[in-house]
């Protein structure tokens, strides 16, 4: 890992703000990197593992905070933005509409947003709910990068990487490099930190 990435992720990461509605988004002040994925994809675990701070996952999995956009400040350099999970099997239409409205407005209006990390469970691959988000990202011209999670549990990681990469390659806004991580084994964490740190500079 580069000195910059090491230094950045050695800093304290603090929960600063949770926005449940658009009019409550904080004023942009730092570069932002967002994290999104289906519920249970391992988003809290990954953010936690990246920052090495156990309090973060708990902060965003606290009841009431799971449906909001949570902002975590990494030193004076970067804001990690935890978007609410999606793709619940039995989510009511009204809830999906509320999620879409909040996330779409964030994506469209957010000048400091450098990249969205699209988390994909290495056991399941891309699902239609991910494709819906990708359509929103393409439309909002937000650059995004695929990050496989839970690779310690993947049956055939190479096949999954190839399949997901091939689909992402069809999207101009998608970054060509697919990251592969495990919050359990620690695989891919340094590469992911490196990618994020490169956006902060
Ligand atoms: P979120 O809903 O996306 O925030 O997902 P969580 O971080 O809460 O994780 C969902 C479940 O997956 C939990 O039971 C975690 O323990 C598990 N999990 C998360 N990351 C990993 C991983 O890298 N490997 C394995 N094997 N399990 C994981």
């Amino acid at each position: 890992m580069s000195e910059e990435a090491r230094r950045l992720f050695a800093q304290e990461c603090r929960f600063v703000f949770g926005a449940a509605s658009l009019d409550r988004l904080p004023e942009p002040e730092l570069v932002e990197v967002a994290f999104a994925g289906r519920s249970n994809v391992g988003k809290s675990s990954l953010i936690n593992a990246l920052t090495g701070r156990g309090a973060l996952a708990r902060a965003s999995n606290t009841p009431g905070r799971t449906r909001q956009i949570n902002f975590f400040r990494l030193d004076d350099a970067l804001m990690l933005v935890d978007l609410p999970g999606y793709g619940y099997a039995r989510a009511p239409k009204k809830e999906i509409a509320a999620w879409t409205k909040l996330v779409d407005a964030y994506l469209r209006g957010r000048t400091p947003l450098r990249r969205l990390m699209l988390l994909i469970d290495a056991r399941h691959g891309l699902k239609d709910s991910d494709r819906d988000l990708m359509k929103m990202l393409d439309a909002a011209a937000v650059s995004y990068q695929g990050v496989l999670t839970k690779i310690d549990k993947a049956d055939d990681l190479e096949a999954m990487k190839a399949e997901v990469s091939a689909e992402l390659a069809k999207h101009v806004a998608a970054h060509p490099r697919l990251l592969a991580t495990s919050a359990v084994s620690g695989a891919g964490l340094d590469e992911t930190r490196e990618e994020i740190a490169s956006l902060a500079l």
Side-chain angles (χ1 to χ4, degrees), residues 128-154:
D128 283 343
S129 50
D130 300 312
R131 298 184 179 103
D132 289 343
L133 174 60
M134 284 157 69
K135 277 183 207 148
M136 287 166 63
L137 293 163
D138 291 336
V142 170
S143 124
Y144 54 102
Q145 181 164 20
V147 182
L148 294 177
T149 61
K150 311 187 191 180
I151 63 166
D152 58 291
K153 289 274 191 184

Side-chain angles (χ1 to χ4, degrees), residues 121-123 148-158 160:
D121 192 317
R123 298 168 304 176
L148 294 177
T149 61
K150 311 187 191 180
I151 63 166
D152 58 291
K153 289 274 191 184
D155 290 332
D156 189 345
L157 181 59
E158 290 314 310
M160 182 55 77

